[in-house]
Amino acid sequence: MSEKPTSASRNAGPGGGPDRTTAGADPDGAAPAPGRPTRITLAAALSGLQGAAIAAWGAVMLLLTFTGEPDGLVQALTGAVTVLALAVLPLAAGHGLWRLRRWSRGPAVLTQMLALPAAWYMVQTGGGWLLAAVPLAATAVVILGCLMSPAAAEALGVTPPGGPPADGARATGREPDRAGPR
């Protein structure tokens, strides 16, 4: 007769202790972990929302490529596929933030740093683009603010320059010499 794994054994990390990325999380991943700061949850949700909006825009472009009369089929198809590919970065970053993955902070910050000039250009263009520019800029500023908080950095295992290393590396920032004596 085998024992059913407990939530503690399912959430065990490499050393047998709790894994900080899954401890307290719902097994299906739907509920936020109790250890996840609200700022990370907000940044993950907004990043996912941005990715979904970009993917929807790309899907509409693709649909219009085949149902409309584009000036150039190859150009329209390339534009639609490019926009769909650009949706991957905020979607992946949002997913990584939701799961408290350390790597996700970089793509999330990069996406928002690119979103701010895009929103500025949309404002300068005016017209209907203003309706998209304001929410894009607002979400970018909120996500950047959330990700730059000390609580977010701690939850993701990111340390400030000169702070204690998060992964146990020496404080010099150099990898230890594993080659042995020369």
Side-chain angles (χ1 to χ4, degrees):
M1 184 162 96
S2 67
E3 291 184 28
K4 185 176 180 180
T6 64
S7 64
S9 65
R10 271 195 306 267
N11 293 335
D19 181 5
R20 72 173 182 82
T21 60
T22 59
D26 194 12
D28 65 358
R36 182 184 315 121
T38 305
R39 291 176 184 224
I40 294 285
T41 304
L42 179 61
L46 288 176
S47 187
L49 185 64
Q50 283 180 338
I54 294 168
W57 179 24
V60 168
M61 288 177 66
L62 191 61
L63 180 69
L64 291 176
T65 297
F66 294 113
T67 60
E69 296 178 14
D71 292 337
L73 180 63
V74 173
Q75 182 180 5
L77 187 59
T78 302
V81 169
T82 300
V83 171
L84 285 170
L86 288 173
V88 172
L89 189 61
L91 286 171
H95 180 71
L97 289 170
W98 187 261
R99 298 188 64 195
L100 293 176
R101 299 293 188 234
R102 183 177 179 184
W103 61 263
S104 61
R105 187 176 186 224
V109 169
L110 175 66
T111 301
Q112 304 320 310
M113 295 302 286
L114 293 173
L116 289 173
W120 177 254
Y121 178 76
M122 292 163 77
V123 166
Q124 298 300 315
T125 303
W129 288 108
L130 189 61
L131 295 174
V134 172
L136 178 62
T139 56
V141 168
V142 168
I143 292 171
L144 284 171
C146 288
L147 293 178
M148 296 302 153
S149 72
E154 182 182 334
L156 294 172
V158 178
T159 57
D167 60 357
R170 292 191 305 192
T172 62
R174 294 181 9 213
E175 288 293 318
D177 186 15
R178 297 193 197 322
R182 294 181 189 204

